[in-house]
Amino acid sequence: MSHLLLTGLAVSGTALASASLALVTGTVLYAHIVTDVVWDIQRLRRRPSIAADEIVPSDR
């Protein structure tokens, strides 16, 4: 979520200076977000099944 917010701010701010630079910035940041999502999906598929108690810490 933070990537989307930062991308929006970066592209909007850059657009004030130069439309072509904003286009390049938006394209690069979009590619970054897509590759992050793909990487996360691949990592999740490689993980073995995890029990809920291993994900959520217990109150010990």
Side-chain angles (χ1 to χ4, degrees):
M1 183 75 167
S2 64
H3 278 89
L4 296 176
L5 178 64
L6 293 174
T7 298
L9 292 173
V11 172
S12 298
T14 308
L16 296 173
S18 169
S20 58
L21 183 58
L23 178 64
V24 171
T25 302
T27 302
V28 169
L29 292 176
Y30 176 78
H32 172 76
I33 291 170
V34 170
T35 56
D36 273 355
V37 170
V38 169
W39 184 65
D40 287 342
I41 290 170
Q42 289 176 351
R43 281 185 30 216
L44 289 173
R45 286 185 179 165
R46 288 184 203 149
R47 290 179 110 175
S49 296
I50 299 175
D53 60 342
E54 294 177 26
I55 298 171
V56 180
S58 61
D59 296 332
R60 293 183 191 177

